[in-house]
Amino acid sequence: MDSARTHSTSPSDDVRTTGPTGRALATEAVHAGRDDLAALGLHAPPIDLSTTYPSYDSRGEAARIDAFATTGADPDGPPVYGRLGNPTVARFETALARLEGTEAAVAFASGMAALSAVLLVRASAGLRHVVAVRPLYGCSDHLLTAGLLGSEVTWTDPAGIADALRPDTGLVLVESPANPTLAEVDLRAVAHACGSVPLLVDNTFATPVLQRPAGHGARLVLHSATKYLGGHGDVLAGVVACDEELAGRLRQVRFATGGVLHPLAGYLLLRGLSTLPVRVRAASANAAVLVERLAADPRVARVHYPRIGGAMVSFEVHGDPHEVIGRVRLITPAVSLGSVDTLIQHPASISHRIVDADDRRGAGVGDRLLRLSVGLEDVDDLWADLDRALGERTAGASSSREALVRAD
Ligand SMILES: *Cc1c(COP(=O)(O)O)cnc(C)c1O
């Protein structure tokens, strides 16, 4: 792995960081976005399904639309129309911003809709060039490589970022830990290399429980909220945490292009956030046990696990990875991640299939790599399933502690 990739921080630094309210992360997870509920006489947040908002004051509505067109700030009072904003979704946005330590957050219909909006914001400022570090989630790679939104990408390693910047560079994009190899970048060093160009960190794998990139200099923090933030495999969503200026531009793009989040999804995400720290820590403890057992197993060639920890594990098998997928019974053989149940998938066949095979292998996504999203089941039950799925223990395969590759 690239030697420039090192861990950015110890996880305990971030877990203990308190937000602008002076409260700890675990407290914010339960209370942020709900501060007004007791005064409303409510315990659970209300779900506002309105697509439109009646008003007898059309002069006032015109002023609110003009203000939104100028700043992109959330309208004062009712949002006029559902594409400008939604009070239930706004609760989730408030909560996520507090967890990531940013001024604002803007939610979208999916992680890809969120990334698309960021690219459109930068392109509309005439800054179409993107510098990015592989590996990225397969569809993020595809969106950039195919230039679907008119962007042009330069792929580099973290040490090459400063040299790759051009006058028209609008964004630097990294994932850490990266999907699916769990490679990490030194966020502080990367942010420094970006200079005045905004750095976007896809924080989907780490979640704000393990890492808060804004504190290390990232101007934009992106999540596929479909994964850990929702946490139960029943919501498709994306969100960008950032400063209020960029949030305004993102809301304007969301209004104009329509990738809004449904209010029910906003409710489920807010509910998911309240258990995020507990879920991430419990799943990470399971993952650490499985990492030890996989690394000691002769059927496993390499195990990838990031220094900051977490519940994602990747490993390369000596045998046929398709056979392993076919043999799991308790573990769910499915793409996606971050759910309460454990999922396994073969990146070269599914999550990263859309990436050109040479680019994929060049980014460290080998054909024998399997990606495991560890859930909340009993760890011995998980190991029993994995052990059986790995198949016969053949003689001759090497087993040593060196099989564990920290993602650096
Ligand atoms: C899944 C994923 C995405 C895309 O999110 P969707 O919600 O599926 O659109 C982006 N980045 C990472 C790291 C992901 O795992």
Side-chain angles (χ1 to χ4, degrees):
M1 297 256 165
D2 190 322
S3 61
R5 291 176 175 276
T6 57
H7 69 295
S8 57
T9 181
S10 89
S12 59
D13 287 345
D14 281 331
V15 170
R16 290 185 191 134
T17 303
T18 53
T21 58
R23 295 173 181 161
L25 187 103
T27 308
E28 293 286 26
V30 174
H31 287 280
R34 300 167 187 252
D35 303 309
D36 59 332
L37 290 184
L40 293 171
L42 297 173
H43 188 221
I47 305 176
D48 181 347
L49 294 171
S50 304
T51 55
T52 190
Y53 294 86
S55 170
Y56 293 101
D57 175 17
S58 47
R59 286 188 198 85
E61 299 278 272
R64 289 228 291 280
I65 290 170
D66 287 351
F68 182 81
T70 308
T71 66
D74 266 329
D76 289 333
V80 183
Y81 184 60
R83 235 180 319 101
L84 272 87
N86 174 273
T88 308
V89 171
R91 290 180 183 279
F92 163 64
E93 293 171 330
T94 298
L96 196 269
R98 291 248 283 272
L99 293 181
E100 285 290 2
T102 57
E103 286 174 1
V106 186
F108 294 88
S110 69
M112 292 316 301
L115 179 57
S116 297
V118 172
L119 295 175
L120 290 172
V121 162
R122 300 311 286 157
S124 65
L127 303 170
R128 298 183 169 279
H129 181 239
V130 177
V131 172
V133 175
R134 278 188 167 127
L136 296 178
Y137 167 63
C139 210
S140 303
D141 187 312
H142 170 64
L143 180 63
L144 293 171
T145 304
L148 292 178
L149 294 171
S151 58
E152 182 196 338
V153 65
T154 299
W155 298 104
T156 182
D157 59 19
I161 288 174
D163 288 342
L165 299 179
R166 307 192 319 210
D168 64 338
T169 305
L171 193 70
V172 175
L173 176 49
V174 302
E175 278 180 22
S176 187
N179 186 351
T181 62
L182 304 170
E184 292 169 287
V185 298
D186 180 336
L187 295 181
R188 230 180 261 285
V190 165
H192 182 73
C194 292
S196 60
V197 177
L199 169 65
L200 184 151
V201 174
D202 186 325
N203 204 31
T204 299
F205 274 33
T207 82
V209 178
L210 299 179
Q211 166 178 283
R212 307 215 282 178
H216 302 298
R219 185 126 181 245
L220 299 136
V221 181
L222 184 138
H223 284 273
S224 169
T226 311
K227 317 293 170 53
Y228 288 100
L229 304 189
H232 296 74
D234 53 7
V235 190
L236 205 58
V239 64
V240 181
C242 57
D243 54 68
E244 180 53 38
E245 185 193 333
L246 275 171
R249 302 287 297 122
L250 286 167
R251 289 188 203 101
Q252 289 169 335
V253 165
R254 184 177 62 179
F255 171 63
T257 60
V260 295
L261 186 67
H262 192 272
L264 186 56
Y267 175 89
L268 289 169
L269 289 170
L270 185 66
R271 179 173 163 140
L273 286 186
S274 59
T275 54
L276 180 71
V278 174
R279 284 188 284 107
V280 168
R281 285 191 205 115
S284 300
N286 273 352
V289 173
L290 295 180
V291 163
E292 291 303 319
R293 294 186 188 173
L294 287 166
D297 196 290
R299 297 162 295 182
V300 175
R302 286 177 91 186
V303 182
H304 302 259
Y305 190 61
R307 290 177 192 274
I308 66 164
M312 297 301 299
V313 180
S314 295
F315 59 98
E316 290 155 47
V317 289
H318 289 296
D320 183 348
H322 301 286
E323 294 292 319
V324 179
I325 297 283
R327 282 194 291 253
V328 290
R329 290 295 173 267
L330 173 66
I331 296 170
T332 308
V335 73
S336 198
L337 57 116
S339 186
V340 287
D341 59 325
T342 299
L343 275 64
I344 194 168
Q345 65 109 14
H346 181 233
S349 295
I350 307 185
S351 64
H352 291 68
R353 186 68 187 176
I354 200 159
V355 180
D356 170 81
D358 288 337
D359 291 341
R360 188 169 67 221
R361 290 178 192 128
V365 187
D367 293 346
R368 287 171 186 263
L369 187 77
L370 290 163
R371 191 191 74 190
L372 192 65
S373 167
V374 181
L376 301 176
E377 301 93 335
D378 178 88
V379 72
D380 290 325
D381 288 340
L382 288 176
W383 177 248
D385 199 41
L386 261 185
D387 184 31
R388 202 173 25 75
L390 285 168
E392 294 293 305
R393 288 172 187 264
T394 49
S398 70
S399 167
S400 82
R401 292 292 297 117
E402 281 158 27
L404 172 61
V405 176
R406 296 281 174 180
D408 58 357

